Amino acid sequence: LNPSFQAMESEVSAAFDSGVPEDVLSRAFKLSVTREDICTLQPLGWLNDKIMNFYMGLLVERSKKEGYPTVYAFNTFFYTKLSSTSYKEVKKWTQGVDIFKHDIIFMPVHLRSHWTLLVVDLRKKAIKYFDSLGQGGDHICKTVLKYLEEESKEKRNIELTASEWTLHSMGPQEIPQQNNGNDCGVFVCKFADFISRDKPIIFTMEHMPYFRRKMVWEIIHQQLL
């Protein structure tokens, strides 16, 4: 093992094992991540909103660099609000932002006790739904397309042509699947990571313990490896 890897390993272990739950280990994107939040990245931990939103923030930051598609990420609470209310209730969420100026939009979806990811590829006029338990989300794709139509009309005065868009729930044979009830949040973060680099999604369930530790380091250092 090279020394820098060992240093990273001991740093990750320390994040889990020393100090008190309230210790703030990272601050960015108007979020403070505590040791208690970081501990949701321990093996079989269930990732909370703060970890999900912080990681999405890191992906958005990286997308500002040359050579990456531009990314916009919605907060984890957005879809819940959108699906339970109306466009009028959420239109202020994008105040001062033209989401249509981005290449990719991520919308993490919280389904009571499961995380999934909705991805809008504005370059291809495609909406895709990624679920590591292989469940379909056609209704979620439709809800988001309707939102995009209203947002475009309201903010840009441009009518979207719904028939030009493709909506697709990724099947279990198309994307990696989890075989436990805990890793859905990590799957969502890594789906977004690969998509935000225009890379094929080639990881598997076996990578989850490594991804969890890597994410601890990345969140603490506010830097994606």
Side-chain angles (χ1 to χ4, degrees), residues 81-91 146-147 150:
K81 182 82 172 165
L82 173 68
S83 59
S84 61
T85 59
S86 64
Y87 174 74
K88 198 164 97 248
E89 298 296 314
V90 296
K91 72 176 186 181
K146 187 168 181 287
Y147 165 77
E150 294 180 287

Side-chain angles (χ1 to χ4, degrees), residues 43 48 81 92 105 120 188 195 207:
N48 67 11
K81 182 82 172 165
K92 283 195 177 141
I105 297 169
V120 180
V188 164
I195 293 163
H207 293 96

Side-chain angles (χ1 to χ4, degrees), residues 136-151:
D138 292 353
H139 63 293
I140 295 174
C141 294
K142 284 174 187 161
T143 300
V144 172
L145 179 57
K146 187 168 181 287
Y147 165 77
L148 292 174
E149 288 179 89
E150 294 180 287
E151 178 80 351

Side-chain angles (χ1 to χ4, degrees), residues 103 120-128 164-166 198:
D103 295 319
V120 180
D121 190 330
L122 288 154
R123 303 165 296 183
K124 296 175 183 168
K125 293 188 178 176
I127 298 175
K128 289 183 178 176
E164 291 176 355
W165 286 72
T166 55
D198 278 334

Side-chain angles (χ1 to χ4, degrees), residues 73-86:
F74 278 98
N75 186 290
T76 52
F77 302 104
F78 179 80
Y79 181 78
T80 310
K81 182 82 172 165
L82 173 68
S83 59
S84 61
T85 59
S86 64

